[in-house]
Structure formats: structure tokens, C-alpha cells
Amino acid sequence: MTALAVGALAPDERVRLTLAEHSRSEPVRVPSSARRALFSVGSDRVRLLATADPEAVVVETTSWVGTVSVPGFEVRIVPRVPMASIFAMLGGQDASIAWGSETSDFAGDGELLDGSALVVLRAVEAATRRGLLHGYRTREEESSTLRGRLLVDQLARRPWTVGAPVCRFEEFTSDVVENHLLRAAVVRVLGAPGLSPQTRRLAVELLARFDGVADADPRELALEIPMTRLNAHYEHAMGLARLAIDGFSIRHDAGERGANAFLVDVDLVFLRFVATELRARLWPAHRVEQAEELALDDAASLRATADILVRDASGPRLVIGTRYHLGDDDVPRRTGDPLHLMTGGGRDTARTPRDPAAAVANDAAAFFPVMVQAASLDLDAALVVYAHARRRPASRIRMPATRASVHSWHVDLDASWRELSDGLDDLAAHVRRLCG
């Protein structure tokens, strides 16, 4: 098999490789410098697999879509659904984002980057339209007038500062962690190459809105921000901001020419989309929680995270697992992945076999976790929501020796937005029935 050569290119030339998510390329020859850069920017989002030819590799994609660009080589990973569906999932229930020709008719290599950037910026603009969120922050500074509490211990250690002693006080300010997160997202978007002039202009205008908000500490951005009635209107924008920070900030600047990537995890986007849509439809009778940690045994030594947990006034009612791909025989296996272990794989990363037994095992890898989580909560039913399946499972699967049933529901992302919305209404009605 002949490998595509990259090393013989002129300095300004670039080989462009277009792949679907969850797929593999033919062998391609990539120089070691480009491979190192690809490892740096792609991390585990885009994998390089060795071949018999030491100069050639196979590029394997995962659930991340977007573009990875290194000197002389570019990988474009396209989603299997219409681009408008990706933007719709990113936007979710945000009524301020109008889905139409402006967002669904992007063309060219920058469509996902520019469209996703626009979604993030519109969400930030909507959240801050009436002004930035303010809150109280504890500050300590020298002051010639008494403000708040005088720090007597510091004055005793430094008596020469009696003219301007250190005071501790609570300041009502916009320099709070929620604004740090949104501002960091706007900054990351603004630094992305390939934005359209309109999107870049919106980012510049939004950045000016955060005047007085300090740069974010990376450790601060990693922390969960408790949601209250005061910052609830920021929730959607903060979720997209975290996606943007993760997707836009993948860089590698070593060498003469830098490398960069913009990647979006469609698995996570699909999970957030389903949770957001169900939350809007089931409130106030049911509360929908995302990424809820559960104890699987009495001693709480075994723990698992449910994708979505639905509660009512009496407690947990339904565990929901989301799978963007379910039993897809084009999805590569990973060593240690439940899908890989349940199909009897060794240490290779071969494609999922095209046989019925493997397809059943793939389904089990999706159904088994929600069944265990439901059993730990003493629930009668669980639900798996999926977008793609090579072989659709039964709508209800009864587990022998247990009283639990696992239901499945298909969300058609290829449909129009009206049809998709109607399907989500039906899903919400099904969840209500399962919750009793």
C-alpha cells in the first residue's frame, strides 16, 4: 500500500487530510518534526498508529472534530451529522441564538471553527447583555483610611505602615470567577487563526465589556462553579466557555512555525445537549443533573458517574446514559476500554469486528454501566440515548435475574431542527413515563 508523502513538500505547502470522526486514514508519511507537533497539539484526541514503514503512520480519529494543523500537514476531522446540527447542539436551549442561514451555511475549512466561535460569543453576549455579574470578593490592601477590618497583627509586625495600614474588606465587584471564565473564553476565541472578520469583531467588542475583570488563573478555571439563582443566567454561557477553552487553547509553538488545533468533543457536546433539552422540558416536576457521582456499594468504595440523573421530590428516578455512537463497527477500539475488553481484544487497536456477536458486545458496553447505576439506586429502569448505531438495539431490554429494564432512544441529528425538537419532546414524554 503506497503511503502519502509529506516530507518532500515545499516549505509553504501542506498536505490536507480529511477524515470522519471515529475513522482511520490510509498510511501517510509524516516527518518526525510534524509527528512531534501532532502529538503535542492532538494529544489523545488524534492518534498516530505505527505501520510496517517507520516513516509512515495511520491517523486515527476519535470523537473530537475540527482541525489539527502542523507544519506541512493538516488533519480536518468532519462530523457525521450536518454542521447545523453541531451548532444546534452547542447552542442548546439558548433563545438568543437564531439558527438559520447565518450559522448553518458556513463553507470551507473554517466552518466548524468560525461557527463554534460564533455560538460561544453569542452565548457570552446574551449572558452579559444587561451587565456583568457582580459579587463580593475579600481583598487586603494598604489604605490611608480605615476600610473594613484593620489587620492589627500585620500592623504590629510592621509598625512603620501606621500611615497606611493593611485592611481586609469585602468589595462588590465584577472581578469574580464567573466573569474570569467568560473572559478567558473570549480571549481564547480571539486568538484562534482563521476567524471571519465578523466573528473577530464581535470578540473584540465583547472583550471590551470585561474591562476591570482580571486574567483568570488556570487553576481557578478548572474548579466547579456552584450555580445559584444569582448566576443561573450564566450557566449556559459558562458551559460553552469551558468547551471553547478546551478546544481553542491547543497550541504548540516550538520550532520556526507553530502548530495549532481547534477540536470539539462531540460526545461531550451530545451529552450536554441531551441534558439541556431534557432539563428545559422536565422542569419543574423533575430535576435533571449532569455528571452525577454515584456509590455502587454500601461502603461507597466503588463509584461511578452517571451521565444524566433525573430526580423528583422523592429522590432519584432514572439514570440516563448518552452515546453519540452505539455499536458502530467503524469505531476504533482502545485498549482498556470496556468495548475493547468485552469483545475479547488484545493489545491491538484494530477496528471493531463486523459480526453480530461484536455488535451485541458493543451494545453491552453502553447498556451495562446504566444497568449497574440503576441497580445501585434500586431503580426499575434505565435509559440509553444515542445518535448513531450501525445496528439499532431493541427499544427495551430486560436483564435476566434482575428486575431492571434498559430502554433505548434514538435522537436523529440528521433531521431538521423542527423534527429534532419534536423528537426531543417525545423523549421527554418517555422519560416522564419511566419516572412513573
Side-chain angles (χ1 to χ4, degrees):
M1 186 180 296
T2 304
L4 177 64
V6 176
L9 295 174
D12 294 331
E13 287 185 293
R14 174 179 294 172
V15 167
R16 288 179 169 85
L17 184 65
T18 299
L19 297 171
E21 32 153 320
H22 291 293
S23 65
R24 286 182 179 176
S25 72
E26 297 296 326
V28 54
R29 285 199 175 93
V30 182
S32 58
S33 58
R35 270 181 276 171
R36 285 194 298 270
L38 196 58
F39 274 124
S40 298
V41 299
S43 184
D44 197 42
R45 300 167 174 89
V46 180
R47 304 188 185 102
L48 299 182
L49 306 179
T51 66
D53 184 349
E55 294 297 321
V57 295
V58 170
V59 180
E60 179 183 87
T61 62
T62 60
S63 63
W64 295 76
V65 299
T67 302
V68 180
S69 179
V70 301
F73 189 54
E74 180 178 284
V75 181
R76 185 172 183 238
I77 308 165
V78 297
R80 301 191 183 194
V81 298
M83 200 64 69
S85 297
I86 295 292
F87 299 147
M89 287 196 295
L90 284 169
Q93 281 283 345
D94 193 342
S96 68
I97 301 176
W99 302 111
S101 60
E102 185 178 357
T103 53
S104 62
D105 290 345
F106 286 102
D109 290 348
E111 59 184 359
L112 180 61
L113 184 150
D114 201 66
S116 300
L118 185 59
V119 169
V120 174
L121 295 177
R122 283 185 173 182
V124 172
E125 193 279 332
T128 60
R129 187 173 298 158
R130 298 183 180 179
L132 299 183
L133 179 70
H134 282 62
Y136 286 97
R137 295 197 68 182
T138 302
R139 294 189 57 182
E140 293 182 5
E141 66 178 34
E142 296 179 352
S143 175
S144 57
T145 59
L146 184 61
R147 187 177 184 186
R149 178 184 176 187
L150 176 66
L151 299 184
V152 179
D153 55 339
Q154 292 198 27
L155 181 61
R157 289 195 300 268
R158 305 166 60 202
W160 57 87
T161 63
V162 65
V166 177
C167 299
R168 179 182 296 150
F169 56 93
E170 299 291 323
E171 183 180 40
F172 191 64
T173 176
S174 62
D175 192 25
V176 294
V177 63
E178 291 90 346
N179 290 328
H180 289 174
L181 178 60
L182 298 191
R183 183 183 185 278
V186 174
V187 170
R188 296 289 171 83
V189 169
L190 193 55
L195 293 181
S196 67
Q198 296 85 351
T199 302
R200 189 171 298 280
R201 183 165 57 250
L202 176 59
V204 171
E205 292 172 356
L206 280 178
L207 190 59
R209 189 176 291 184
F210 289 89
D211 185 35
V213 178
D215 292 336
D217 185 334
R219 293 171 298 180
E220 182 184 48
L221 297 181
L223 299 176
E224 281 296 320
I225 300 175
M227 300 308 301
T228 68
R229 61 181 181 83
L230 298 178
N231 65 0
H233 63 293
Y234 265 43
E235 183 175 10
H236 179 70
M238 289 195 299
L240 289 178
R242 291 190 186 279
L243 287 176
I245 290 171
D246 195 24
F248 282 92
S249 60
I250 308 167
R251 297 291 176 86
H252 175 72
D253 297 319
E256 295 181 0
R257 288 180 292 173
N260 59 77
F262 167 70
L263 295 167
V264 174
D265 185 359
V266 288
D267 278 346
L268 179 58
V269 170
F270 182 64
L271 166 58
R272 290 185 68 255
F273 173 65
V274 172
T276 300
E277 295 293 330
L278 286 179
R279 187 177 294 118
R281 287 167 168 80
L282 297 177
W283 178 264
H286 297 86
R287 191 167 76 251
V288 176
E289 299 172 348
Q290 184 182 326
E292 184 76 3
E293 189 176 74
L294 306 175
L296 301 181
D297 63 333
D298 293 337
S301 57
L302 297 176
R303 308 191 72 84
T305 301
D307 287 344
I308 298 172
L309 184 63
V310 181
R311 298 177 181 268
D312 63 11
S314 62
R317 302 299 299 171
L318 184 68
V319 173
I320 302 177
T322 61
R323 293 287 290 237
Y324 183 70
H325 289 277
L326 179 64
D328 193 327
D329 62 9
D330 288 333
V331 179
R333 297 196 309 259
R334 298 191 303 273
T335 302
D337 190 11
L339 184 153
H340 185 247
L341 297 176
M342 296 184 73
T343 53
R347 295 190 58 81
D348 64 332
T349 52
R351 292 175 185 258
T352 306
R354 297 175 181 266
D355 62 74
V360 171
N362 289 348
D363 293 348
F367 285 85
F368 184 74
V370 295
M371 181 192 70
V372 173
Q373 293 162 8
S376 71
L377 296 171
D378 197 28
L379 300 177
D380 294 335
L383 177 65
V384 172
V385 180
Y386 64 95
H388 293 284
R390 176 68 62 177
R391 183 187 62 85
R392 289 195 182 183
S395 60
R396 180 182 181 185
I397 300 175
R398 178 75 177 177
M399 298 298 177
T402 71
R403 62 187 182 90
S405 296
V406 180
H407 299 249
S408 67
W409 191 276
H410 176 235
V411 174
D412 186 6
L413 296 179
D414 293 316
S416 66
W417 175 247
R418 181 179 296 277
E419 294 170 333
L420 178 57
S421 182
D422 291 342
L424 292 168
D425 290 339
D426 294 338
L427 171 60
H430 187 56
V431 169
R432 291 190 191 96
R433 289 192 294 269
L434 293 179
C435 289

